[in-house]
């Protein structure tokens, strides 16, 4: 099927129009319909949809990669335009999330979870459909569900915590899920923040779909927040894949993006606001 994916929200603006923010959202148009993967943090999703000519009223389903504010905070703005719509997510999307950061020798605690309650989002039209397993959400489109952690080199971000029943614990991100879309040229994998580890996610998708050929992998990889060793091990694993393009965004960060560009040359692109991937 014909597919066009446009980056609506990202940390960077690369195509003359739009606003950047710390967040991610991708507008997906296929022969079967129009979908939104993540919503950014809130400030840019509607503005960017207007400047890029993407009509949020046409969105048939919304997919949430995980419960961080920078992927879910734009939901009310989108729902005010769209009204009733299915929103696919893992039940842990509503967990309280915090980041503990060390700045100037001081420890700061920041709330980084979804900023809105389920009831409020439902009152604006969200119809939540929760999944924990690999799920076909539309013909040829799959959400990964929970991703088994198998690689030895992909470690969680030690600054991130979740609060379950009043206890603050390192966040294991069971809710981290990605979207894979089948195309005639191979799978297209869209990552949110890849908190499960980009290579774990890719391996899970191959295991579930039985398809090893990726036309493109795009979205947030979180590689800049982790160690240089993890970045190099991830690059080595990517080199062993049957992968066409790699388009990174958001939490990939500049250093990791430069390194990936060096490694993959013309197959690399930065997925900033307005970037388009077409099949
Ligand atoms: Fe993120
Ligand atoms: Fe995240």
């Amino acid at each position: 099927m014909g597919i066009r994916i446009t980056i609506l929200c990202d940390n960077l603006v690369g195509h003359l129009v739009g606003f950047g923010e710390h967040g991610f959202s991708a507008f997906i148009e296929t022969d079967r319909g129009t979908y939104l993967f993540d919503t950014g943090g809130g400030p840019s999703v509607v503005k960017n949809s207007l400047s890029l000519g993407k009509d949020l009223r046409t969105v048939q389903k919304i997919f949430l990669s995980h419960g961080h504010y920078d992927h879910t905070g734009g939901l009310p703005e989108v729902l005010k335009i769209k009204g009733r719509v299915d929103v696919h997510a893992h039940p842990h999307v509503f967990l309280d999330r915090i980041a503990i950061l060390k700045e100037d020798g001081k420890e700061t605690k920041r709330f980084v979870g979804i900023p809105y309650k389920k009831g409020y989002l439902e009152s604006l039209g969200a119809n939540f459909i929760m999944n924990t397993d690999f799920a076909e959400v539309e013909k040829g489109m799959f959400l990964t569900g929970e991703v088994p952690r198998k690689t030895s080199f992909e470690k969680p971000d030690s600054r991130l915590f979740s609060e379950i029943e009043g206890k603050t614990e390192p966040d294991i991100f069971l809710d981290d899920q990605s979207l894979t879309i089948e195309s005639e040229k191979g799978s297209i994998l869209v990552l949110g923040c890849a908190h499960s580890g980009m290579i774990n996610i890719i391996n899970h998708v191959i295991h579930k779909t039985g398809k090893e050929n990726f036309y493109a992998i795009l979205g947030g990889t979180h590689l800049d927040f982790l160690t240089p060793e993890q970045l190099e091990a991830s690059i080595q694993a990517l080199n062993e894949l049957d992968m066409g393009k790699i388009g990174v965004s958001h939490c990939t960060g500049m250093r990791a993006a430069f390194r990936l560009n060096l490694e993959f040359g013309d197959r690399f692109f930065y997925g900033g606001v307005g970037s388009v991937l077409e099949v």
Side-chain angles (χ1 to χ4, degrees):
M1 67 180 156
I3 298 163
R4 187 190 300 123
I5 302 178
T6 306
I7 306 301
L8 266 196
C9 303
D10 186 59
N11 302 38
L12 292 182
V13 177
H15 295 264
L16 301 177
V17 294
F19 291 85
E21 63 160 303
H22 178 72
F24 184 70
S25 175
F27 192 88
I28 301 167
E29 295 161 277
T30 77
D31 299 340
R32 294 182 198 284
T34 301
Y35 312 89
L36 191 65
F37 180 82
D38 286 343
T39 66
S44 73
V45 65
V46 173
K47 281 181 189 165
N48 290 351
S49 72
L50 294 171
S51 13
L52 294 165
K54 301 296 167 192
D55 189 346
L56 290 170
R57 292 172 301 186
T58 63
V59 168
Q60 287 165 235
K61 291 179 185 188
I62 298 175
F63 310 115
L64 298 179
S65 66
H66 65 301
H68 272 156
Y69 75 100
D70 50 323
H71 299 254
T72 58
L75 258 181
E77 301 313 313
V78 175
L79 292 169
K80 282 175 204 166
I81 288 171
K82 169 62 193 170
R84 189 165 171 80
V85 64
D86 290 347
V87 181
H88 292 258
H90 184 284
H92 279 193
V93 80
F94 287 104
L95 284 188
D96 283 337
R97 254 63 199 242
I98 55 167
I100 299 180
L101 308 167
K102 292 207 174 68
E103 288 163 346
D104 301 328
K106 271 190 270 166
E107 207 175 74
T108 9
K109 228 180 171 188
R110 275 201 211 136
F111 180 80
V112 292
I114 186 167
Y116 304 99
K117 290 195 171 185
K118 192 173 177 217
Y120 172 62
L121 297 168
E122 283 170 341
S123 77
L124 296 174
N127 176 42
F128 282 97
I129 297 172
M130 300 301 193
N131 72 298
T132 55
D133 293 330
F134 193 82
E136 185 164 34
V137 284
E138 197 70 90
K139 185 130 180 61
M141 294 174 75
F142 305 86
L143 278 176
T144 57
E146 294 173 14
V147 174
R149 297 349 189 226
K150 290 197 171 162
T151 59
S152 57
F153 56 87
E154 291 180 300
K155 303 281 191 299
D157 186 332
S158 59
R159 304 165 308 164
L160 301 175
F161 297 81
S162 57
E163 289 189 354
I164 304 177
E165 292 165 7
K167 274 176 84 183
T168 304
E169 284 176 358
D171 204 331
I172 54 166
F173 287 106
L174 287 183
D175 56 332
D176 178 56
Q177 52 181 341
S178 306
L179 181 75
T180 184
I181 309 168
E182 286 176 356
S183 83
E184 62 219 18
K185 292 186 179 167
S187 306
I188 300 172
L189 177 61
V190 189
L191 309 163
C193 257
H195 288 295
S196 318
M198 179 171 48
I199 305 304
N200 280 329
I201 296 167
I202 292 166
N203 289 339
H204 183 58
V205 167
I206 293 173
H207 173 68
K208 287 291 183 183
T209 61
K211 298 194 165 103
E212 299 196 356
N213 167 26
F214 289 86
Y215 174 68
I217 295 173
L218 63 153
T221 66
H222 217 73
L223 286 170
D224 211 19
F225 295 112
L226 304 165
T227 61
E229 293 74 30
Q230 176 161 339
L231 173 59
E232 291 309 315
S234 302
I235 286 172
Q236 200 181 325
L238 287 172
N239 267 320
E240 287 162 18
L241 277 183
D242 181 358
M243 177 189 76
K245 298 167 192 273
I246 177 157
V248 298
S249 304
H250 180 47
C251 56
T252 299
M254 277 299 136
R255 279 178 306 179
F258 289 151
R259 176 69 189 91
L260 290 161
N261 190 184
L262 206 61
E263 186 72 26
F264 295 106
D266 289 346
R267 294 158 67 201
F268 172 92
F269 64 96
Y270 188 88
V273 172
S275 294
V276 177
L277 177 89
E278 257 177 315
V279 185

